[in-house]
Amino acid sequence: MKKLLLVAGFLLIGFATQAQAFEGKYDQKLSIGASLQEHGTGIAVIYDYGLGQNISVGLASSYILDVEEPIDANFGDRFDLKARFNANLSDVIGVSDAFDLYPGLDVSLKNFGGHVGTRYFFTDGFGLFAEVGFPLAKYNTDDLTVQEKLFNQPVFNVGASFSL
């Protein structure tokens, strides 16, 4: 019972702490989580750097660890790297500083795309994120093989975010 009360106390302190999801210029966030899409699941690593009050840029990389059978996907099919641009809207829409909504655009090895994500920080250093990415223009306009469709379809990322 003492351990349960101790854990509950730490959680309450974490929720009561005034955390900021995006602090503007020079803010740095690292997000690590699961990458989920049709025919495969993997890992995503995302870095964002604040350029201004509501603007950030960054890099995102994903690798599919588990591809459905009998798809024969090589490293190039399983890997993607993106340069990204975000509009961080928490103070624009007037929500809690602990919450950030960020639509954005990205240029990847596979396509030109967009993404919409959210982050919620429980403390100044730790939070959770969820993000959906989608292609807007594919570099290969032919009929795509199943392997080529990896990262050329909607991708859902979810995991932990950290302030650096």
Side-chain angles (χ1 to χ4, degrees), residues 67-159:
V67 178
E68 290 179 356
E69 294 291 334
I71 301 170
D72 185 27
N74 62 30
F75 178 82
D77 297 325
R78 292 173 180 244
F79 177 76
D80 196 20
L81 179 66
K82 299 177 181 184
R84 49 194 272 140
F85 169 84
N86 298 326
N88 303 85
L89 302 177
S90 61
D91 66 335
V92 174
I93 59 177
V95 295
S96 166
D97 287 344
F99 176 79
D100 187 24
L101 171 67
Y102 56 93
L105 297 172
D106 48 68
V107 177
S108 78
L109 298 174
K110 311 285 184 188
N111 57 49
F112 172 74
H115 58 270
V116 177
T118 62
R119 283 187 278 244
Y120 187 85
F121 272 75
F122 300 104
T123 68
D124 283 335
F126 175 75
L128 298 176
F129 84 100
E131 180 177 297
V132 63
F134 44 90
L136 297 172
K138 300 172 186 173
Y139 300 146
N140 183 354
T141 58
D142 298 332
D143 287 336
L144 300 179
T145 65
V146 176
Q147 295 88 339
E148 292 171 330
K149 287 182 182 176
L150 299 173
F151 296 113
N152 270 311
Q153 61 187 335
V155 177
F156 181 70
N157 299 320
V158 61

